Amino acid sequence: EIKEKKEKAATTSAHPFNPQETIDKYRKRVEELYSLIADDWLHENVEDGLISLKREPVTIREERLGEYKVDSLIITIDRNKILLKPYGTILIGTRGRIDISCRMRSGMFILTGENVKSPRAHIVVTVNGEKPRKSKEAEEPGNEVWKFVDRSGMMRYVSLDKNTFQQILMALMNG
């Protein structure tokens, strides 16, 4: 009976969990963000010598994935060191998170749907056993983009571009 259940579960699962695939996707998404930062958003300042970028490997431990390495990114502006440190991928409400910190200030980037504006989009409501109603903002997995989590006031997600990223850096450095 147990063997039958196991076989049935294996055949009914459309996408069996593959830890290495999950790790590889996360590394790829982290790399995409770092490339935007280095090649687009801070490129001119790096070229001018005003900002330096350095990578250092960090070890992440996740229950279902085990231990794996991902690069962190250190952005140095004058005497300010801003650390982007990958946090993991098996999280509630997101398929990836990177923490950003400078001295005692911190924030986070998460992978979420392009149209998602706040954590409320991740809430699914079911009434009397009806089919669950998803938020209008909710999107199918795989269409995620990196967004900054703004915790001032009502928590909201901020789309990233050159201007918003530079504003985040300034806010972390200046408080």
Side-chain angles (χ1 to χ4, degrees):
E1 190 175 312
I2 293 173
K3 186 178 176 184
E4 285 176 26
K5 282 186 178 183
K6 221 176 183 181
E7 287 173 3
K8 185 177 180 183
T11 57
T12 56
S13 175
H15 302 286
F17 181 70
N18 181 335
Q20 191 58 51
E21 184 179 310
T22 302
I23 292 167
D24 292 345
K25 281 182 185 176
Y26 180 58
R27 282 185 178 135
K28 181 179 180 215
R29 299 309 302 267
V30 169
E31 185 59 39
E32 288 169 4
L33 179 62
Y34 291 174
S35 292
L36 277 172
I37 292 168
D39 301 336
D40 273 351
W41 301 340
L42 300 180
H43 179 74
E44 293 167 15
N45 294 326
V46 171
E47 289 276 308
D48 294 341
L50 301 171
I51 293 177
S52 69
L53 303 175
K54 180 181 165 189
R55 292 179 180 227
E56 288 184 354
V58 294
T59 301
I60 296 176
R61 289 173 192 85
E62 295 192 77
E63 190 174 318
R64 295 184 64 202
L65 300 179
E67 222 174 75
Y68 60 97
K69 291 198 180 303
V70 182
D71 277 351
S72 64
L73 180 66
I74 301 165
I75 302 169
T76 305
I77 305 171
D78 294 327
R79 284 180 253 150
N80 296 293
K81 286 195 184 300
I82 298 139
L83 173 65
L84 276 78
K85 184 179 179 186
Y87 183 85
T89 184
I90 302 197
L91 305 160
I92 296 171
T94 180
R95 294 195 184 270
R97 175 174 144 190
I98 297 174
D99 292 340
I100 182 169
S101 61
C102 180
R103 286 174 269 178
M104 300 301 286
R105 295 176 197 90
S106 65
M108 74 175 97
F109 300 103
I110 63 164
L111 277 172
T112 191
E114 193 170 352
N115 296 323
V116 176
K117 294 174 182 63
S118 74
R120 280 181 249 123
H122 302 292
I123 299 169
V124 178
V125 178
T126 305
V127 180
N128 296 330
E130 295 175 3
K131 189 174 179 182
R133 292 183 292 190
K134 286 188 176 182
S135 162
K136 291 175 186 167
E137 298 175 16
E139 291 192 14
E140 292 303 311
N143 297 327
E144 295 94 355
V145 295
W146 287 107
K147 291 194 177 191
F148 181 71
V149 178
D150 181 358
R151 295 185 229 173
S152 61
M154 292 291 287
M155 190 183 296
R156 64 187 178 93
Y157 301 153
V158 177
S159 296
L160 293 174
D161 60 26
K162 182 176 183 172
N163 291 332
T164 58
F165 186 75
Q166 289 177 353
Q167 288 170 3
I168 292 162
L169 294 182
M170 296 307 289
L172 284 170
M173 290 188 302
N174 299 325

